[in-house]
């Protein structure tokens, strides 16, 4: 099948590469010349495990191409996927200017039947707005061309996006036309062979499903972080509590890990957008507000522990920071807990020696060259002559380090762990003062 995808960011590239991988003819359209040139050279503008190899393989096979020309995109694909960004507006609501700009471009060049598929995460009612904008442009042109609107939200985890697309838990298709449902079902047939994964519904329900899923997952994280703060005050161990409640199949183990707060491009933005949607509809979403409030506070939890340990005397201190990305297996630093912590440490007069296996370039892009930030090539370089070690992203390479080498490199054997990677009793025996989340401080 012929597929056009507008937007060559995270969702657009993963969708395009995976659809091409199963034999479709995919054309990706973007307005950024630099990005298109990178992609034509076989280079990915984002880090996602396995993505670069898949992009190159499908380009070489002729199933995946890139262009700046929207007219070419409209002419190419029966399926017109919109996968552009919906950044938060000042009030937290989703900004739809990019989505509606694509709808306008499609309307300007539409000559025959097309299916316009919203892959971007959008508020309920966006399908109606895309339909209206496209129809307005067609009317202005004085042409009458049939088209359909579909909501097909993505459920991709950064760091595991290809696996999620190729073996999805579900494929949500929101339509108001049974014919369109069947056409989307045919497109997704290669990903639907083991058992039925298509969940068909109306457009507005599909739009709400995406926000509901992310908001519920964010709620689980904030609940566990709230519980971890209570556990510390009560002298309980949150990791034991997590195991105890996770064994209940009604709860499960996923997304109940306490830590330094959630980040990324989805959870923070989507919780706020759903909150604003509710407010605009005349409803006060108290739980959604609390989820964000807890997360805001949790991102400052490690800073509180650091300030307490040093009696608020941080000026001139140097901290080794392991992890910069908001989660492992990505270079994405949007809403990352590391950014909140670093910016606070800088305000307090501290210096940072940071290492992340993928996000150093993104960190340099965000912060530029600073005297109080050294981006290191190895974890060992980061801890060299630092006052203490802070762990804030749970990369696998941090899970079993050489603690003897860490103790010898640090000025003091102190670790602040925002992801509970290590055993407090073991570190105490190794001579460390060890701070974690929802557990008592371990001391030698």
């Amino acid at each position: 099948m012929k597929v056009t995808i507008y937007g060559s960011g995270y969702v657009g590239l993963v969708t395009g590469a995976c659809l091409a991988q199963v034999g479709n003819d995919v054309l990706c359209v973007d307005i950024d010349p630099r990005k298109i040139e990178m992609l034509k050279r076989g280079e990915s503008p984002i880090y996602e495990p396995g993505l670069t190899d898949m992009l190159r393989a499908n380009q070489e096979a002729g199933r995946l191409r890139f262009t700046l020309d929207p007219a070419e995109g409209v002419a190419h694909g029966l399926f017109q996927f919109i996968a552009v960004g919906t950044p938060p507006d000042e009030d937290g609501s989703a900004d739809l200017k990019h989505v509606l700009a694509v709808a306008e471009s499609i309307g300007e060049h539409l000559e025959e039947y097309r299916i316009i598929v919203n892959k971007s995460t959008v508020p309920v009612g966006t399908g109606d707005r895309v339909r209206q904008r496209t129809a307005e442009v067609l009317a202005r042109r004085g042409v009458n061309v049939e088209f359909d609107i579909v909501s097909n939200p993505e459920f991709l985890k950064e760091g595991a996006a290809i696996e999620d697309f190729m073996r999805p838990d579900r494929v949500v298709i929101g339509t108001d036309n049974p014919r369109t449902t069947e056409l989307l079902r045919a497109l997704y047939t290669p990903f639907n062979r083991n058992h039925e994964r298509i969940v068909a519904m109306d457009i507005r329900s599909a739009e709400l499903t995406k926000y509901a899923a992310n908001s519920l997952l964010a709620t689980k994280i904030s609940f566990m972080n709230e519980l971890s703060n209570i556990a510390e005050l009560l002298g309980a161990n949150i990791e034991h509590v997590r195991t105890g409640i996770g064994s209940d199949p009604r709860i499960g183990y996923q997304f109940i890990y306490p830590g330094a707060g959630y980040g990324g491009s989805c959870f923070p933005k989507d919780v706020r957008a759903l909150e604003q949607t509710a407010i605009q509809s005349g409803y006060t979403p108290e739980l959604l507000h609390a989820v964000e409030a807890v997360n805001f506070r949790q991102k400052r939890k490690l800073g509180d522990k650091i300030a307490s340990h040093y009696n608020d005397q941080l000026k001139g201190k140097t901290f080794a920071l392991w992890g910069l990305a908001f989660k492992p297996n990505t270079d994405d630093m949007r809403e990352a807990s590391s950014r909140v912590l670093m910016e606070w440490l800088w305000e307090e007069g501290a210096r940072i020696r940071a290492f992340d296996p993928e996000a150093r370039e993104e960190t340099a892009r965000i912060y530029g060259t600073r005297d109080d930030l050294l981006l290191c090539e190895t974890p060992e370089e980061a801890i060299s002559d630092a006052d203490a070690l802070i762990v804030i992203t749970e990369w696998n390479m941090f899970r079993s380090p050489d603690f003897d080498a860490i103790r010898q490199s640090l000025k003091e054997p102190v670790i602040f762990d925002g992801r509970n990677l290590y055993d407090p009793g073991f570190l105490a025996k190794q001579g460390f003062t060890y701070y974690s989340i929802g557990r008592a401080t371990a001391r030698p």
Side-chain angles (χ1 to χ4, degrees), residues 89-147:
D89 219 333
E90 291 182 6
D91 63 357
S93 61
D95 186 345
L96 296 177
K97 63 184 178 185
H98 302 304
V99 171
L100 296 177
V102 173
E104 191 158 325
S105 291
I106 293 172
E108 287 171 352
H109 303 289
L110 198 61
E111 299 292 345
E112 57 183 319
Y113 175 72
R114 293 289 183 259
I115 301 170
I116 302 174
V117 185
N118 266 326
K119 200 75 174 169
S120 300
T121 301
V122 294
V124 176
T126 299
D128 296 336
R129 296 184 63 181
V130 169
R131 185 193 308 278
Q132 180 182 358
R133 181 64 61 89
T134 306
E136 287 173 351
V137 177
L138 288 172
R140 194 164 64 233
R141 290 174 53 203
V143 297
N144 183 19
V145 181
E146 184 186 4
F147 65 92

Side-chain angles (χ1 to χ4, degrees), residues 176-235:
D176 56 9
N177 185 335
R179 175 186 62 178
T180 315
T181 304
E182 293 310 309
L183 288 169
L184 265 293
R185 190 186 297 275
L187 179 66
Y188 279 107
T189 293
F191 313 100
N192 197 39
R193 295 178 65 85
N194 182 264
H195 63 271
E196 180 59 62
R197 293 181 171 92
I198 301 294
V199 183
M201 59 185 73
D202 61 279
I203 294 173
R204 284 178 171 252
S205 295
E207 291 169 340
L208 182 56
T209 296
K210 170 62 176 180
Y211 277 128
N214 279 353
S215 295
L216 182 56
L217 295 174
T219 300
K220 291 183 73 173
I221 295 170
S222 279
F223 176 80
M224 284 305 295
N225 284 332
E226 185 92 300
L227 206 58
S228 73
N229 296 331
I230 297 170
E232 282 189 26
L233 296 172
L234 297 178

